[in-house]
Amino acid sequence: MKAAPFAYVRPSRLSDAIAELAETRGGGKVIAGGQSLTPVLAMRLARPDTLIDINSVAELGALTSSGPALRIGATVTQRRVERDPLSRGVPLLRLALPWVGHRELRSRGTVCGSLAHADPAAELPAVACCLDAELTLTGPNGHRRVSAREFFHGAMTTALNPDEILTSVRLPVAAVGEGFGFAEIARRHGDFALAGVAVRVRLRAGRPEATMTAFGVSDRPVTRDLSEQLAAAVTDGGDGIADRLKERLAAVVEEVVDTDGDVHASRDYRRRLLLALAGRELPKAYERARDGAEEVTT
Amino acid sequence: MTVGEAGSREAGPRTPRPVKAGADDPVEVRMTVNGTPTVLSLPARVTLADGLRDHLGLTGTHVGCEHGVCGMCTVLVDGEAARACLLFAVQLDGADIVTVEGLGRPDSLHPLQESFGRHHALQCGFCTPGFLMSSYDLLVNKPDVTEEELPEELSGVICRCTGYRNILTAVDETRRAHPEGIPEPGNRVRTALAGRAGQGAEASDGPDEAGDTVSSSVQDIVLPSGAPTIAVRITTEIDLPEDRVWGVLDDIYLLARCLPGAELTDDHGNGHYAGRARVSVGPVKLAFNGVAHVLEQDREAGRLRAVAQGQDTGGAQTQADITLTTEATATGTAMHADARVYLTGRIAQFGRALAGDVSRRMFEQFADAVTEAATSGQAPSGPVKAPSALSLVFAPLLGRLKRLLRGAATRRRPRCDER
């Protein structure tokens, strides 16, 4: 369980990091926190020729809030985001972070690293998709911006070219009248989820718009607009929103969960989990959105 | 008891220095481990866990799954718990590491360790370092954690024998006992670390490039609070005026040569020194690395005081608090040596009687050597004697004893009080 030998480069400028990565001609791998990569190296599932450690590139360590977005640099750890008051602007991120691994992993693991690794059962890719975050990819030809919903191409496969580094992610700061929900089911806290959901509800003139991103149920996070279903469940009034919602979500859930079953959970069981989670979190997010809007008007 | 200047904490993690190294090329890593600045030279693929265990001899950090699942190797990196198997040591240039060895001392455990003991929160002990470091991090960074949250918060470490209930009870009790926050790790002191199989780490002053000053990185030497293993008081009469004796005591390098043992390896400034000593007593072989701090060196008052600490690779530890005082007499100078020596680990098994004898004889030899040096104005000469049991007790203090000479011009009145 020791990593195979690799060359190691730790440049202090982004341009040097890009150049070093290009020099490896696809044989290099970028490391920031390494909390997903190191186990892969230890099990020798990957044997990169060179690791390019970006932790000394100062500009990648920035966590800033500029207007309507929170910008998280490539080397910003999950635990730092969890603690920084700036992240309060993105409630969904704060709901999701405690589910990521354990404290001991979040203290080194980075937000961008989790996105670039693109495990289909990981929490943060789902958050990025649900919020339609914008990712900045930097390569020899400069920067390009990619929407999170177009970034994930499959299990551990992304829009990143071999010579590009994910240098930052921009997440929209929540507005008044928005509410969020996040939950997952795992065998043990910190394990990858059997199924999970991130949801965002926006009230526009009293009418809810709802987005759900499911994870752990396909080869990438899957995002669906559930405005119609939520609006219908809500306008019927009275109690039992969750039950009415679940009836309406069954078809979507059926379609979204396309992973094959494994030893931990069959496909059908994952569908049941997802239905339960979505049925629970959407009404919760709706209430939060309504409470937030009321607080402002009163 | 804390002596010495207050060790100042670094402001925060430093940015690692730029590096470019081929596969299996050694890379220099400077980090602070349990308060001691260390320099390692390792291939990039060596994990922090292996670096700590194999290169620094800190085997308290256990290795279980080696891929970040079991939590055995949990340590503090820049104040936050992290898995030492999921970090390459080279990534930690400039980092501040605390391992379970830094949490408490054998004679002064951290409250968490006390509580684990009280509640039988360990059976085989393999997961204990991981649980201690993880729960320390939890209670420091989330002091308002509730009892209900504890199982989830401590889920990053796996126990396979004693069960979690007692561990949770121990952590919860510590939390209740310290509502204002638990004490810091109690064994972050400047000491010497040495690896197995001769792989070395040197104590150093940390990255100079980062503007770190020597004094800011020097940590306190902390003496145990209980009674010393050995207390020695010896008075030697020297047929020379006090000034001549202070000619030796004022010159630390000259003084060092008078101490049986090994060598003074480094001057850290502000009265801090590093040294090492090899001791062989029959089949027992100890190689000590140590540090000493001269707290007082006052010719006018006739007083020199130093504290010292050393450890060998097997975990034997020794600490000493030594005061030399001089006074003018009708025939010359009376020099008193007072020493309180603490032994822990395997050397403690020698027993107090033997250790007391050894200490007393060592001070006699030291006094002889000082007399010789004061008389001749230079370091004692003559054949180098093999390291003896004598330096065993003193190794920490310095490794500075070298030569033993017959003191023709002295009369001794040794009094030894062994406790």
Side-chain angles (χ1 to χ4, degrees), chain A residues 185 197 246 253 270-281:
Chain A
I185 305 282
V197 287
K246 277 196 206 165
V253 165
R270 283 175 206 263
R271 283 180 175 145
R272 284 175 56 195
L273 292 179
L274 181 60
L275 192 59
L277 291 171
R280 199 183 297 163
E281 293 304 314

Side-chain angles (χ1 to χ4, degrees), chain B residues 341-363:
Chain B
V341 180
Y342 302 82
L343 302 176
T344 45
R346 55 183 170 142
I347 35 171
Q349 293 167 13
F350 275 102
R352 290 178 185 183
L354 173 61
D357 286 347
V358 162
S359 307
R360 194 186 321 118
R361 273 180 50 213
M362 186 174 60
F363 275 102

Side-chain angles (χ1 to χ4, degrees), chain A residues 184-254:
Chain A
E184 69 177 47
I185 305 282
R187 303 279 299 188
R188 196 177 69 119
H189 180 95
D191 285 2
F192 279 117
L194 302 176
V197 287
V199 300
R200 176 192 206 183
V201 173
R202 272 184 284 196
L203 294 180
R204 290 269 167 93
R207 196 181 151 76
E209 289 177 8
T211 309
M212 174 194 78
T213 301
F215 58 97
V217 297
S218 184
D219 69 345
R220 70 197 82 172
V222 187
T223 306
R224 293 289 179 267
D225 185 327
L226 301 178
S227 303
E228 213 174 281
Q229 289 89 335
L230 181 62
V234 167
T235 46
D236 288 354
D239 293 333
I241 293 180
D243 289 340
R244 288 196 301 277
L245 192 57
K246 277 196 206 165
E247 287 166 26
R248 294 182 162 84
L249 291 178
V252 178
V253 165
E254 168 94 16

Side-chain angles (χ1 to χ4, degrees), chain A residues 1 3 29 57 74 81 96 99 102 109 120 131 136 159-160 205 230 236 258:
Chain A
M1 297 295 284
K29 185 84 185 120
V57 179
V81 174
W99 294 94
H102 301 278
L131 297 178
T136 301
L160 272 169
L230 181 62
D236 288 354
D258 65 2

